[in-house]
Amino acid sequence: MCPPDHFQVVDIKNDFMKGQVGLVDPVRAKEEWGNLVDAFQEQNIHVHVLTPVPNLEDLVFTANPACIIPRETDGADSILSRMRHDTRQAEVTVVANWLEQHNIRTHTLPEGTGYLEGHGDILIIPGRRAALAGYGGRSDLSAIHALSDAMQLPIHPVPLKGKPFYHLDTCMAVLNEDTLLIHEEAFAHGEREALSALFPRILDADPDEAATVFACNVHALANGNVIVPAQATATASVMSDAGFTPIPVDVSEFHRSGGSVFCLRLDLPGKL
């Protein structure tokens, strides 16, 4: 995770950022980020802190610059992102340097394979060594295929309408090996049926909460606890009814930039 020392909305990269330029409260953002760190630590998750860099206001969204791919045995490899916006490409170098320093081997996609925006669009399925991958927003299907080939990772591509849900993690969460949380309106027609063939149980996020408070942008733990945006109360009830335990955390300052809980962390191997 990266502290929000330089976090701000400085331009419009997605529909959620419209009308938000210059409106981030840095004091509140720092407090919310600290509360999210506390929530992870209370779940016995060790948080590594990435040094913030001036002029990289979106580095706080550490889920995007790289994909961490678990190995079949211990450890993981990473595929570095190729960001659609030039202003975010420098984040990739910062995260790549950190990963290499911590013995996570980094790989790059071949030239010409298109854009890939990390775990914004790549959702790892626990227990299967497989993934879901969103395309049609920020990431390209050609890059997803290149990732699959490079890592020998089975991937199910998921077509997005693209607006306003520009990343898969804004409209879908893998809660466990058998359960998805989705906002169906974000996907192309017929995708629910395709996903049902992969997941026995699909939960529906409250549509209004998905569109306004990032109800699908959550962090699910193996113990059934799910860290969720605090304002997504109806969606939290859906998860609770399904046997999960929602842990609400307010990260609404980061909603101004089109991100929430899931975007603010990069999941790393357990033994790191």
Side-chain angles (χ1 to χ4, degrees), residues 112-127:
T113 53
Y115 297 105
L116 182 73
E117 298 216 343
H119 290 292
D121 280 317
I122 303 296
L123 304 183
I124 301 296
I125 304 172

Side-chain angles (χ1 to χ4, degrees), residues 98-230:
W98 191 96
L99 293 173
E100 290 284 0
Q101 290 167 10
H102 290 78
N103 299 316
I104 297 178
R105 185 182 304 168
T106 61
H107 306 265
T108 56
L109 294 175
E111 290 296 328
T113 53
Y115 297 105
L116 182 73
E117 298 216 343
H119 290 292
D121 280 317
I122 303 296
L123 304 183
I124 301 296
I125 304 172
R128 298 195 204 176
R129 201 178 184 277
L132 303 170
Y135 69 97
R138 293 275 188 83
S139 297
D140 294 324
L141 183 58
S142 55
I144 290 167
H145 287 318
L147 166 63
S148 179
D149 291 342
M151 294 287 101
Q152 294 297 294
L153 179 72
I155 292 180
H156 175 82
V158 180
L160 298 172
K161 293 178 180 177
K163 289 189 175 183
F165 301 97
Y166 62 100
H167 276 159
L168 187 61
D169 70 355
T170 64
C171 50
M172 178 183 291
V174 180
L175 299 184
N176 61 28
E177 184 177 349
D178 297 322
T179 311
L180 279 184
L181 173 70
I182 70 170
H183 176 52
E184 188 172 356
E185 295 175 18
F187 309 117
H189 179 71
E191 190 55 31
R192 186 189 190 96
E193 183 178 354
L195 292 169
S196 295
L198 298 172
F199 291 88
R201 184 167 59 166
I202 295 181
L203 308 180
D204 290 289
D206 178 87
D208 290 337
E209 292 181 352
T212 58
V213 296
F214 296 89
C216 292
N217 200 259
V218 305
H219 179 93
L221 287 81
N223 62 5
N225 294 345
V226 186
I227 300 177
V228 304

